[in-house]
Amino acid sequence: MRLSHGFVRGETLSCIYHGWSYAQAGNCLRIPAHPALTPPDTIRVATQPVEDGGGIIWIPVGEPAAGPPRFDGVTPLRSMVVEADIAALEEAAGTKAAEGLLDYAHDGRTVRLLLAPEGKARTLMHVLVDEDSNPSERIAASRAAEALRRTAEHVAASGTAR
Amino acid sequence: MKLYDYVLSPSCYKVRLMAALTGVTLDIRPVDFHPGAEHRGPELLALNPAGSIPILEDGDLVLTESSAMLVYLAATAAPQWLGNDAAGQAATVQQWLSFSQRLTASLGAARLHEMLLRPGDIDALRAQGTAALRELEAGLVERRIRGQRFLASDRPTVADIACFPYVALAPDGGVSLDPYPAIRLWSRAIRAIDGFIEMPGIHRLHELKPEPSPEGGEA
Amino acid sequence: MTRNAMIDEWYPVGLVSQLDAHGRKTALMGEPIEVRLGEDGSAKVTGGNGRVLPACIRYGHVWSSLGDPQKPLFAIPEADQPGRRLVDVGVVRVRCSPLRAVENFLDIAHFPFVHTDILGAEPHTEVQNYKVEIREDDDEVWATQVQFYQPQAAKSAQGGITTQYMYRVPAPTCSILYKTCPPRPGEWDVITLFVQPLAEDLCDVWPWMALFDDETPMTDLIHFQQTIFVQDRSILENQIPGLLPLDPGMEIPTRADLTSVAYRRWLKRHGYTYGAQLVAQ
Ligand SMILES: N[C@H](CCC(=O)N[C@@H](CS)C(=O)NCC(=O)O)C(=O)O
Ligand code: FES
Ligand SMILES: [Fe+2]
């Protein structure tokens, strides 16, 4: 059963199916069907290191030499799934991404997009805005990202990016 | 108040949930929707020629649209749920109440197709459902930017109850909720409301209950 | 290629109460089939190329097979006991292995988390030891002396009780449970899960019940069981791996899972592998 359907109590993650709970290190702490049993150390789930870098959650692929990059002056606004690859997003934005960052100029302002491919035809897009932007500017950035997604998905669907 | 009800119907659940949250006791009349198709039988068609449930009866008043039922329950027992403090807010509530019908027609129909074998063009239904979820996600993001957790205010209103069930049950129709972080936060906020009740397919937040103590395993 | 041993088994393919001459199009293990009412009042089932398939009517359902069943459909003697209410719960489709659907039905440890405040509730999570056997004479898996604390064991239950259970697997995709019958101590309520395998990862599930309960309206009985089953549905659709692993090692069983262990072993021994995965594949 997928643990993402589970629940967190205190510092433990429990599975929704039989309630087995796990510590941060991945070892099983409790099997509710056998309350008196101390779960053997062999019962564990795979764990994934994560790091919070300025409000963005990062996971390493392989063993990177350095920690996650920091983006000064911007703050994450929202994450979106785009049914298109990065090339289609680049075409829609009319500019190239550099090191996973795409600066999309729209209506006289620039929205910074952090891109992570999810397979071949899908991209996870994190929208970053100026730290000191006000709510109206943030809403405008969110809408700009929606517009870009529409265009990129249209590009991907009509296959002009290839 | 008498509710013609089906346990697996998200539209009926809206009314049960609203009643639970506003402290109204409903007289539940179970309808054999599946497998019996009782909602298309003579007794229920006489009440609602459209052949849908829920149906809410209170004296002479007969309501056959769940959004109207939510408004009726709120107006009767807990007007703060109406969300009509200002013109803009009242209109926003109406906007989402109307929007909720698109959820029924897309995500709801996909669920009936996948779960109870109803006919339908599943790809088209899922595509319409996904489009609606994206609109909802964007709307919730904008609310959060303004510091509000719910659709029309920082407090839940009938709009949230109208939209919540079909959204929460989208995976039943094969539409994933994984791409929508703002919807996830909103769904958790709704499930954390005092008096929240669940329906099959919508789990309560087990985290709201404390971990049983180690010696608590004894029956 | 070895012949799929499950081909010769009986499977539920529709409700008798919904049979008509018009027919119902469905599928059995990947093959499109059609189920309809014959002029003589019997059920007629035809396969993909129009060939006539075996058919029988029992326990509220039409049963059929793609192969040549060597035995009549398993017996549920309680079904003919006078005074029982027979409940057609109706079909629910689930995107999961048919074997996973049966295994979940045999599991009680999930009650407090998935059927919270109905079939279980924290802190009453403990599964006491029970007995499991493969009855060689009948070639069935049985679990007996199972018990669990339940806040609302049946529609007719008044408050929490410790419920006694027996489980039985007479066919690879069918299971029958016997549980404490609140209005009639000394008798067992019969609740079944009949699973129609559409594909290895898709099934139509037909729960059915034979209960002693003269009070509860039929619709309430149906809704109670649909509630329970649809609570399981999202769990079943999110199992990993999707196919049921028959070799030990992929999943960690505890004492609470002995019924499942016996079921998997029994499936493997018979080569009932439609919807299963073998590590050595
Ligand atoms: N009038 C709408 C209808 C709600 C609705 O679609 N109800 C479904 C059950 S969840 C229904 O009755 N469908 C009729 C059918 O599928 O035959 C409302 O109250 O929101
Ligand atoms: S599958 Fe997660 S606790 Fe059993
Ligand atoms: Fe269950």
Side-chain angles (χ1 to χ4, degrees):
Chain A
M1 179 63 205
R2 288 175 204 281
L3 272 172
S4 55
H5 290 239
F7 52 97
V8 175
R9 279 178 183 157
E11 292 300 310
T12 70
L13 171 62
S14 299
C15 176
I16 188 83
Y17 197 10
H18 305 103
W20 293 22
S21 59
Y22 298 90
Q24 283 204 15
N27 54 307
C28 181
L29 291 172
R30 210 167 74 87
I31 298 180
H34 306 297
L37 180 85
T38 304
D41 205 49
T42 47
I43 303 185
R44 41 178 59 247
V45 289
T47 59
Q48 171 71 59
V50 295
E51 205 164 315
D52 173 351
I56 301 169
I57 299 168
W58 294 84
I59 57 165
V61 177
E63 285 177 27
R70 297 201 66 97
F71 307 115
D72 292 329
V74 291
T75 186
L77 182 70
R78 62 178 297 201
S79 299
M80 302 164 70
V81 170
V82 184
E83 301 297 339
D85 61 9
I86 291 182
L89 275 160
E90 288 174 328
E91 180 169 332
T95 176
K96 291 281 177 200
E99 298 190 19
L101 279 180
L102 185 71
D103 285 327
Y104 172 46
H106 182 81
D107 271 354
R109 70 184 91 230
T110 300
V111 183
R112 184 152 258 217
L113 302 163
L114 175 61
L115 306 177
E118 267 197 3
K120 277 197 164 60
R122 177 177 293 169
T123 308
L124 194 54
M125 178 167 92
H126 309 282
V127 184
L128 313 178
V129 289
D130 268 351
E131 235 162 33
D132 39 23
S133 55
N134 64 32
S136 313
E137 289 164 338
R138 292 179 182 211
I139 287 171
S142 171
R143 291 183 185 177
E146 297 268 346
L148 178 68
R149 172 167 70 181
R150 269 192 297 277
T151 313
E153 290 182 350
H154 183 73
V155 167
S158 50
T160 53
R162 251 110 297 191
Chain B
M1 270 183 246
K2 181 167 168 186
L3 178 69
Y4 290 78
D5 180 55
Y6 176 45
V7 270
L8 300 186
S9 155
S11 299
C12 295
Y13 167 62
K14 293 177 191 181
V15 184
R16 298 197 301 271
L17 176 58
M18 193 73 230
L21 293 171
T22 53
V24 175
T25 307
L26 295 171
D27 168 18
I28 300 280
R29 153 71 162 87
V31 175
D32 181 9
F33 182 90
H34 176 81
E38 189 190 355
H39 58 298
R40 299 205 205 105
E43 184 195 343
L44 270 82
L45 283 177
L47 268 178
N48 179 16
S52 67
I53 48 169
I55 304 169
L56 186 71
E57 260 184 341
D58 192 20
D60 289 340
L61 182 70
V62 177
L63 299 174
T64 60
E65 291 296 336
S66 55
S67 293
M69 298 174 207
L70 301 184
V71 167
Y72 185 63
L73 287 169
T76 307
Q80 69 275 20
W81 280 88
L82 293 172
N84 53 9
D85 296 347
Q89 190 190 53
T92 303
V93 167
Q94 289 303 318
Q95 173 83 15
W96 289 116
L97 289 180
S98 298
F99 173 85
S100 71
Q101 293 165 17
R102 278 173 52 204
L103 297 171
T104 311
S106 56
L107 298 173
R111 177 174 177 269
L112 283 175
H113 181 275
E114 291 297 285
M115 196 162 106
L116 303 183
L117 320 191
R118 290 297 188 79
D121 177 348
I122 187 65
D123 293 333
L125 295 172
R126 284 180 180 152
Q128 290 155 15
T130 300
L133 287 173
R134 283 179 166 196
E135 281 183 54
L136 179 65
E137 172 80 8
L140 286 165
V141 163
E142 296 191 7
R143 283 283 148 191
R144 292 189 78 82
I145 291 171
R146 295 199 186 100
Q148 300 180 349
R149 288 169 304 152
F150 295 97
L151 282 171
S153 141
D154 195 35
R155 286 227 321 261
T157 64
V158 288
D160 299 283
I161 305 305
C163 293
F164 170 70
Y166 284 104
V167 169
L169 294 168
D172 278 353
V175 177
S176 170
L177 289 174
D178 290 347
Y180 313 105
I183 289 178
R184 196 152 50 242
L185 290 170
W186 170 73
S187 165
R188 294 181 65 85
I190 291 173
R191 288 183 291 159
I193 299 171
D194 222 20
F196 175 83
I197 56 166
E198 57 201 1
M199 74 163 273
I202 301 181
H203 292 290
R204 72 182 68 183
L205 294 174
H206 287 290
E207 43 271 72
L208 298 180
K209 204 169 149 182
E211 181 97 0
S213 55
E215 68 276 19
E218 266 44 55
Chain C
M1 238 183 76
T2 55
R3 185 175 162 85
N4 168 8
M6 280 168 69
I7 281 281
D8 296 323
E9 295 290 320
W10 291 103
Y11 298 99
V13 293
L15 276 177
V16 176
S17 58
Q18 297 193 336
L19 254 191
D20 59 22
H22 182 68
R24 160 182 151 81
K25 286 187 170 36
T26 173
L28 205 47
M29 298 200 262
E31 177 165 343
I33 64 169
E34 191 168 324
V35 184
R36 59 186 173 79
L37 183 68
E39 273 161 24
D40 58 356
S42 67
K44 303 283 180 211
V45 183
T46 44
N49 49 7
R51 78 185 201 281
V52 176
L53 298 178
C56 70
I57 284 180
R58 199 74 180 95
Y59 317 130
H61 292 78
V62 180
W63 299 78
S64 186
S65 174
L66 291 181
D68 182 14
Q70 301 300 303
K71 292 188 294 188
L73 185 65
F74 52 84
I76 308 178
E78 296 79 7
D80 302 320
Q81 217 177 345
R84 285 192 187 257
R85 306 263 300 283
L86 306 180
V87 186
D88 293 349
V89 177
V91 69
V92 177
R93 178 162 295 175
V94 189
R95 199 156 288 281
C96 77
S97 151
L99 308 179
R100 284 272 192 204
V102 170
E103 183 182 69
N104 171 71
F105 187 72
L106 303 173
D107 175 68
I108 57 173
H110 71 280
F111 289 175
F113 302 97
V114 179
H115 309 296
T116 314
D117 291 348
I118 307 175
L119 301 184
E122 289 181 290
H124 310 285
T125 53
E126 179 159 14
V127 177
Q128 309 281 349
N129 287 349
Y130 56 87
K131 293 205 156 41
V132 183
E133 60 186 321
I134 295 177
R135 295 195 179 164
E136 303 293 342
D137 293 352
D138 308 316
D139 193 22
E140 294 187 355
V141 181
W142 276 81
T144 54
Q145 299 175 31
V146 183
Q147 53 176 330
F148 206 70
Y149 173 82
Q150 305 200 313
Q152 167 90 56
K155 194 72 198 177
S156 59
Q158 309 283 329
I161 51 171
T162 296
T163 309
Q164 313 293 322
Y165 277 87
M166 293 193 291
Y167 285 92
R168 201 186 139 193
V169 183
T173 71
C174 294
S175 181
I176 300 153
L177 74 77
Y178 299 86
K179 72 183 281 188
T180 306
C181 171
R184 189 106 52 124
E187 293 286 356
W188 297 91
D189 272 340
V190 170
I191 302 177
T192 73
L193 200 75
F194 300 148
V195 181
Q196 172 183 0
L198 300 168
E200 291 206 73
D201 58 356
L202 185 68
C203 52
D204 278 351
V205 178
W206 305 87
W208 182 79
M209 307 192 284
L211 310 177
F212 284 114
D213 179 345
D214 297 329
E215 305 288 314
T216 310
M218 183 59 94
T219 302
D220 294 57
L221 295 174
I222 293 171
H223 289 186
F224 185 82
Q225 199 55 23
Q226 288 184 350
T227 295
I228 301 300
F229 188 70
V230 171
Q231 288 178 331
D232 286 319
R233 186 175 180 272
S234 71
I235 300 286
L236 287 169
E237 295 201 335
N238 286 285
Q239 291 276 44
I240 305 172
L243 299 178
L244 186 73
L246 292 191
D247 289 320
M250 287 219 60
E251 292 173 332
I252 305 162
T254 72
R255 267 185 293 117
D257 305 314
L258 289 180
T259 319
S260 147
V261 171
Y263 173 58
R264 292 184 188 197
R265 207 174 276 155
W266 178 80
L267 290 173
K268 191 171 179 190
R269 181 212 281 186
H270 287 286
Y272 293 149
T273 56
Y274 191 82
Q277 77 174 39
L278 298 155
V279 173
Q281 247 168 359

